[in-house]
Amino acid sequence: MASSSGPSLNEELQCSICMEVFNDPVTTPCGHNFCRTCLSKSWPKSQTCFCPLCNEKYSRRPKLKINTTLREVVQHFKEKPNLGESEVFCDYCGERKQKAVKTCLTCQSSYCDSHLKPHLSVPCLKKHILINAVENLEDYICQKHKRPLDLFCRDDQTCVCLSCTEGEHRTHNNVPIEEESRKKKARLVQTQTDVHQMVQDRMKKIQEIQHSVELRKRNTEEERSSSVELFTDLIRSIKKCQSEQLKMMEKQQKAAEKQAEDLIKEIHQEITELKRRNTKLEQLSHTEDHLHLIQMSSSLYTRPHTKNWTEIRIDSDVNVNSLFIALIQLKKTLDETLDEEISQTGLKFVQKFAVDVTLDPDTADPRLILSDDGKQVSYGGIEQDVPENPKRFDKSYSVLAKQGFSSGRFYYEVQVKGKIQWDLGVVRESINRKEEDIALSPEDGVWTVILMNENQYIACESTFVSLSLRETPEKVGVFVDYEEGLVSFYDVESRSHIYSFTGQTFTEKLYPFFGPWFNDEGKKSNPLIITPVSPLMD
């Protein structure tokens, strides 16, 4: 049986993204080819992008043009589906052999259109098994019985002929090969679909990663801008304090110069008076007028009334106390400016990561009352009849949000106005919810700030940290950066920073935590209210 073969082009002409034959192929700078639409979808709307096949990164988005040569090859391939496959020639043609169209497994020969006609018209030949022309006919014939492999043994997972089913495969589950082929083809189609979906999922993941990088880049630029603004303001504050200090020192210098001028003038006056007195004494010491001498001497003997100049001095050194006070004032001003700038810049930044948080009734202590919209919780005073639930806090007046977070950043705000006690923060998913007194520390998976006795604010570190706040918070913002191990609290109204847990290690999902407590003598308390985040205005 004559044949001619060539290399398969099918895989060479497939896009590695959609796994289909190229459609409008384009070539990347690294030399790989893709469908134009597939490549456009895989690249985000940013300047930075990379090859989906080899991951080579391009600093600028390449301008891609259709690879016309490859497109022509693809078009030729589509027009001739059998291009690249083995060509089988008729076994009965003479010198000019025609291409075979069918192979008869019964006759074990291949036929062109002309020599196939008897198999289509002669009754006994019409019963023969015809398949599309194949080169490797021996693969379709039972080597033991020399009969077509037209059955499939499902027990042994092998192709068999009719004679095989009368021997060792007699009791096996044998089905027509067409039936098994349809079954396997269906599985192949499903596998192909699954593989295609896997490719699409990975391309989506590439887009997510690229988007994350771009988002982080934008956030970095924004943080860099905020830092520049912050330090610019600090420098401005330092220059202002420096200017005020120099003005004060200049004022003190002028005062010292004025004091010295007045003292020198006064001393000159005393010197003039003393010289005049000395002249009189000189004249009396030489006079012969005894009566005049006696009359004048009594007044000249007396020591003149002058200042004790030994105790009066102008300090040549700068007033150290004044300078020290100025430095203290400078530090205070810088501290206040720094604290205010960091707080406002930080709060403005974290508000970008606002999430929608709602309370989970399945976790609420039976004595708590939740609003229908899941945005408010208050102490009710009476234990309600609620279903048993392993997620529920039973003895600690607490409730969690429905939303949990195991990566990234998130921020939410809670109104605490009018309350004299509350507890806010985040907890890890595995926190013990059945104890009366929950251990409040990072070691126990709790990162909270609490208000006790109306004005006592505490950060629940391993050892409680007492907080001194300039104002009473009416709305508290809670921010978490999972990867950085950071939990921060803000007074939203005063735009000030309350406290931060830093250097933490999170290994579980974190849930927003709310403890409304109760007022004095167990009276009902105002609710904690989860409020929409309104971004700060410059």
Side-chain angles (χ1 to χ4, degrees), residues 341-462:
E341 292 292 338
I342 289 178
S343 296
Q344 294 197 24
T345 302
L347 182 57
K348 185 177 179 181
F349 172 74
V350 301
Q351 283 185 330
K352 299 176 183 178
F353 302 97
V355 294
D356 185 19
V357 173
T358 54
L359 301 169
D360 185 358
D362 290 339
T363 66
D365 183 289
R367 289 157 293 187
L368 299 184
I369 299 176
L370 275 59
S371 62
D372 292 339
D373 62 359
K375 297 297 184 180
Q376 301 186 28
V377 57
S378 59
Y379 174 75
I382 301 175
E383 186 167 325
Q384 304 172 78
D385 184 15
V386 294
E388 289 288 335
N389 196 311
K391 299 194 299 182
R392 189 180 304 284
F393 290 93
D394 290 336
K395 304 174 182 178
S396 62
Y397 311 119
S398 304
V399 61
L400 300 182
K402 291 180 179 179
Q403 295 78 16
F405 304 87
S406 56
S407 64
R409 301 163 171 168
F410 62 94
Y411 172 83
Y412 60 95
E413 294 178 351
V414 184
Q415 180 178 306
V416 297
K417 183 178 181 180
K419 297 188 64 60
I420 62 172
Q421 297 187 116
W422 49 258
D423 193 350
L424 291 174
V426 293
V427 299
R428 66 187 179 200
E429 187 172 22
S430 64
I431 184 176
N432 191 328
R433 311 179 188 201
K434 305 302 179 182
E435 294 182 355
E436 184 171 357
D437 294 318
I438 299 176
L440 301 177
S441 71
E443 288 76 13
D444 298 293
V446 180
W447 294 268
T448 58
V449 167
I450 63 177
L451 167 63
M452 300 174 60
N453 305 322
E454 195 168 1
N455 59 9
Q456 186 179 1
Y457 295 92
I458 296 173
C460 299
E461 291 276 12
S462 302

Side-chain angles (χ1 to χ4, degrees), residues 509-534:
K509 186 175 288 188
L510 299 179
Y511 287 86
F513 176 84
F514 307 83
W517 288 34
F518 48 78
N519 289 338
D520 291 336
E521 300 177 357
K523 296 178 182 178
K524 294 182 180 179
S525 66
N526 291 339
L528 290 174
I529 304 175
I530 303 171
T531 60
V533 175
S534 299

Side-chain angles (χ1 to χ4, degrees), residues 277-292:
R277 190 182 187 92
N278 191 52
T279 300
K280 288 182 179 182
L281 289 173
E282 178 69 22
Q283 292 173 350
L284 285 175
S285 66
H286 293 89
T287 187
E288 296 297 332
D289 189 345
H290 303 295
L291 180 61
H292 180 68

